[in-house]
Amino acid sequence: MKSGFVNIVGNPNVGKSTLMNLLVGERISIATFKAQTTRHRIMGIVNTDEEQIVFSDTPGVLKPNYKMQEAMLAFSESALQDADVLLYVTDVVERPDKNADFLQHVRQLKGVPVLVLINKIDLSDQAALEAAVDYWHALLPSAEILPISAKARFGVDQVMARIKELLPEAPPYFDRDSLTDKPARFFVSEIIREKILLYYDKEIPYSVEVVVEEFKEKEKSIHIRAIIYVERDSQKGIIIGHQGTALKRVGTEARKALEKFFDKRIFLELFVKVDKDWRNNPRRLTAYGYNDRS
Ligand SMILES: Nc1nc2c(ncn2[C@@H]2O[C@H](COP(=O)(O)OP(=O)(O)OP(=O)(O)O)[C@@H](O)[C@H]2O)c(=O)[nH]1
Ligand SMILES: [Mg+2]
């Protein structure tokens, strides 16, 4: 039996979550066009007769400006501690020299195979791709470099095949039928947050935390009550919108996505509350799960 942790790290918006969902074959991690979509370390588990591959998606590496971002960075760094295989994802559009400290940690990993995945090659030409390969080869000489396009599903099967070769022999870490380490409520709050990332501008999505207060599952339906917390009063009005239309849109689109995810009828109630400056409040961050280390 082969089993191990395959941890996905890299800068924001390079396609880590899109790739994780492809590798796992389920839409476990939300992915949007905005940077800093992922805030937690989220495991997606692939079980076959011979292997258990525990993928971890992580937040994009950043220089923290507030305590929530410190917690996000700690999730990314934790993925360097226990990786059996590390997937360092970059893409053909990002400025690759940012976050030199994190790259230095990657370089110092002992005995951990690193695959540098140059994503979004659908946006590149051959010459630019070759330059990127040379650049990464100089930066991480012992890493293997694989160009991919998660969006076009190009190169992903090769990545999977290489992971299976590199996976160590070990007994499984999780039940053989588990798909993730996170409870159903986590996915509910993430799906609601995804809609908020898509429908609101500027700082609003980054000031939001979603808490599921009630999750009552029946045979054919799930009743959910969730609170959208914002940092300030003025943000509450923006989330709700004129005559409640903005919030209604979030509710409708989140319900549709939740029905797809759970394959059940969903009854969703959303409320908006202010939790002043929660992003810098250690006690609130702990309550919201930002200090859970797996
Ligand atoms: N053109 C193109 N876009 C891609 C590709 N892979 C991902 N994207 C897009 O890149 C954006 C970011 O994708 P995510 O998967 O959310 O990126 P991430 O690295 O998880 O981002 P953070 O969670 O913010 O760190 C989304 O709009 C994706 O659709 C690709 O191969 N080609
Ligand atoms: Mg992500």
Side-chain angles (χ1 to χ4, degrees), residues 3-7 79 82-86 111-114 166-168 170 173:
S3 302
F5 288 89
V6 178
N7 300 346
D82 60 14
D84 292 301
V85 178
L86 190 75
V112 180
V114 178
L166 292 168
L167 212 60
Y173 294 92

Side-chain angles (χ1 to χ4, degrees), residues 13 15-18 29-32 36-39 57-60:
N13 212 40
K16 299 179 296 300
S17 302
T18 308
S29 201
I30 60 168
T32 78
Q36 296 181 49
T37 292
T38 307
R39 291 180 179 174
D57 186 22
T58 61

